[in-house]
Amino acid sequence: MTWKVYCPHCNKNNLKFRQEQKLEGYDFLVPDLKQNKREWIDCLDCNLSFSTPRLTKRQLEFMYDNYRSESFRGESPDEYFDRITNYPPEESENYQKMVWIKDKINSKFNPNKILDIGSGGGVLLHTLGNIFLKADLFGVEPTSNFAELSRKRTRANIINGFFDNKTFSDYQFDLITCCQVLEHIDNLNNFVANVSKRLNRGGYLYIEVPDISDFKTLEKTHSRFSEPSHLWYFNADFLCNNLFKNVLLLIDYSVLKTVRNRNNLMILFQKD
Ligand SMILES: [Zn+2]
């Protein structure tokens, strides 16, 4: 069967249909959302899984401005921040990922500057600041309410906007973290180039994304699949052997099942 669509990453059409997704209830988020369903498709050449159709950059920007700013789950911003940062270690996803990262990184690693891309309300920056007490903290976050919360509750320098080649361009970083962000990025190659440019030699990049194994273990109707701002689904092969290949050095990767039963792919890269 020949598909009319091509892989947006490698432009080939060796594709395999994975599943159809309804997009009901999202028209208020994206006023010009014409379609009420989309498909998830696997590229058998480069191993990227992509949604088709996908929101445009303009539609994505509208969503982050309007929808995400309301998403404190019925709590005040401060209640949200306090709840997440007060979880005991065994229930804290932030704590688990820090243990994983610290285990791979040289124990003498002492970053001067840390950047969190998509820093949300600042809960990861808070944890990073407690572990790396002397590091200067930086965050970039497109949703203004989240950016405001992280300014208030952490000591980080926060930009309210999207990460691009101008973001903190006067600085180089020893550690960049980027959690649940890559699946929202429309131009993956640009993003990788910009991240790599901001890293010091010997510096680390920690990436965390929903793992493709979600399709096996979560209900077909799960919000991870229907969330319209999720453009891609990743496996380790695509990220390690394709997207970041020849850009950064792979240190390690792992798939972690979270307390909410989601599969997160965690990858640590280093700049050579
Ligand atoms: Zn492809």
Side-chain angles (χ1 to χ4, degrees):
M1 175 172 186
T2 308
W3 289 75
K4 278 179 265 172
V5 287
Y6 290 82
C7 171
H9 184 73
C10 72
N11 288 321
K12 297 189 177 136
N13 75 337
N14 188 13
L15 307 173
K16 188 170 175 239
F17 171 80
R18 188 178 271 275
Q19 73 185 39
E20 189 176 275
Q21 222 62 54
K22 283 186 179 162
L23 285 176
E24 282 166 354
Y26 286 104
D27 43 339
F28 77 100
L29 301 172
V30 189
D32 55 352
L33 187 71
K34 300 280 192 295
Q35 66 280 0
N36 58 8
K37 62 179 181 182
R38 65 175 180 178
E39 292 174 347
W40 283 100
I41 293 172
D42 298 341
C43 173
L44 302 179
D45 274 295
C46 75
N47 251 331
L48 176 66
S49 296
F50 59 93
S51 155
T52 186
R54 287 178 301 284
L55 298 189
T56 63
K57 195 169 185 211
R58 200 181 56 73
Q59 288 174 321
L60 289 167
E61 285 171 1
F62 181 91
M63 268 195 77
Y64 298 125
D65 279 348
N66 294 279
Y67 158 60
R68 297 237 162 217
S69 53
E70 303 301 323
S71 63
F72 285 113
R73 299 175 194 166
E75 304 169 300
S76 76
D78 283 315
E79 284 166 351
Y80 160 84
F81 188 94
D82 290 333
R83 179 172 56 83
I84 304 282
T85 54
N86 285 318
Y87 279 135
E90 65 275 15
E91 288 174 34
S92 164
E93 290 177 19
N94 282 334
Y95 181 83
Q96 287 179 23
K97 70 187 73 165
M98 282 307 128
V99 170
W100 188 85
I101 293 172
K102 284 203 84 174
D103 186 49
K104 321 283 175 217
I105 287 179
N106 185 324
S107 59
K108 294 195 179 75
F109 179 68
N110 198 6
N112 283 319
K113 289 186 170 53
I114 300 175
L115 169 64
D116 187 26
I117 298 174
S119 50
V123 292
L124 181 60
L125 283 167
H126 171 86
T127 305
L128 286 162
N130 283 343
I131 293 172
F132 301 109
L133 293 168
K134 289 182 180 164
D136 296 329
L137 304 176
F138 298 79
V140 53
E141 166 57 40
T143 295
S144 57
N145 285 10
F146 277 133
E148 213 172 284
L149 175 62
S150 55
R151 277 194 192 112
K152 184 178 157 198
R153 298 299 304 269
T154 74
R155 58 185 171 83
N157 180 352
I158 303 288
I159 286 179
N160 177 206
F162 289 87
F163 175 76
D164 60 23
N165 59 352
K166 297 182 191 73
T167 310
F168 295 121
S169 55
D170 294 339
Y171 299 110
Q172 290 296 108
F173 298 93
D174 305 301
L175 173 63
I176 297 180
T177 53
C178 182
C179 300
Q180 321 298 339
V181 168
L182 218 54
E183 67 273 23
H184 300 263
I185 300 293
D186 66 327
N187 191 324
L188 293 171
N189 284 329
N190 275 359
F191 186 84
V192 168
N194 289 333
V195 168
S196 171
K197 247 181 257 169
R198 292 271 72 76
L199 268 182
N200 274 324
R201 283 191 75 178
Y204 293 94
L205 170 68
Y206 173 74
I207 294 270
E208 189 186 297
V209 291
D211 183 72
I212 195 83
S213 54
D214 275 345
F215 280 107
K216 283 191 191 133
T217 59
L218 296 179
E219 289 291 321
K220 268 191 156 189
T221 52
H222 195 280
S223 60
R224 266 201 167 183
F225 309 129
S226 57
E227 160 76 73
S229 64
H230 287 180
L231 312 178
W232 327 108
Y233 244 96
F234 301 110
N235 61 17
D237 182 69
F238 173 78
L239 292 176
C240 301
N241 301 323
N242 192 316
L243 191 63
F244 284 93
K245 196 185 176 189
N246 302 326
V247 182
L248 296 174
L249 198 67
L250 173 68
I251 300 295
D252 203 358
Y253 70 87
S254 181
V255 177
L256 178 80
K257 194 177 272 301
T258 73
V259 288
R260 289 188 289 163
N261 207 31
R262 295 153 182 232
N263 300 288
N264 282 341
L265 174 59
M266 316 152 79
I267 310 185
L268 189 66
F269 292 103
Q270 187 173 28
K271 185 154 167 176
D272 226 347

